[in-house]
């Protein structure tokens, strides 16, 4: 009900910033336990998954990583955070 009234996930999904920035906001909220388990947490995780499917997500997430090692490190960090947030 609160998510519907505030449209928090919609604002995060369609808001300002790159797809990667918006995803990380949702991931951080999930990792912090900001959403009650059940429907709210499930909706937040679903919103995060939708952001990752955006065509510009990977490029925006890896933006600025010039070396292969840095890109791989960022991807490992993302995988860890997604697991902690129970998104993957």
């Amino acid at each position: 009900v609160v998510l519907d009234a505030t449209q928090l996930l919609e604002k995060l999904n369609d808001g300002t910033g790159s797809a990667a920035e918006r995803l990380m906001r949702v991931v951080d909220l999930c990792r912090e336990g900001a959403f009650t388990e059940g429907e709210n947490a499930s909706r937040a995780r679903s919103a995060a998954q939708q952001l990752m499917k955006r065509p510009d997500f990977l490029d925006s997430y890896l933006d600025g990583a010039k070396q292969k090692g840095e890109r791989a490190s960022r991807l490992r960090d993302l995988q860890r955070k997604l697991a902690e947030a129970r998104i993957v």
Side-chain angles (χ1 to χ4, degrees):
V1 175
V2 173
L3 285 180
D4 291 330
T6 63
Q7 294 188 328
L8 174 65
L9 294 176
E10 289 81 359
K11 290 175 184 174
L12 287 170
N13 200 29
D14 299 327
T16 60
S18 70
E21 291 169 335
R22 289 179 283 150
L23 169 72
M24 295 316 297
R25 286 185 212 127
V26 177
V27 169
D28 289 342
L29 288 169
C30 288
R31 290 174 62 212
E32 294 167 5
F35 302 104
T36 55
E37 270 312 312
E39 183 181 350
N40 287 339
S42 177
R43 287 173 59 189
R45 291 179 185 117
S46 178
Q49 291 168 346
Q50 291 303 312
L51 282 166
M52 286 188 293
K53 291 179 183 177
R54 290 183 180 236
D56 63 329
F57 166 70
L58 192 57
D59 287 339
S60 67
Y61 186 74
L62 296 175
D63 188 43
K66 303 297 181 198
Q67 300 174 348
K68 284 185 181 180
E70 185 180 358
R71 293 169 64 92
S73 176
R74 283 191 189 186
L75 290 173
R76 281 191 304 274
D77 187 52
L78 175 62
Q79 182 64 33
R80 180 185 55 80
K81 289 178 179 180
L82 292 172
E84 288 172 1
R86 297 179 40 207
I87 293 170
V88 295

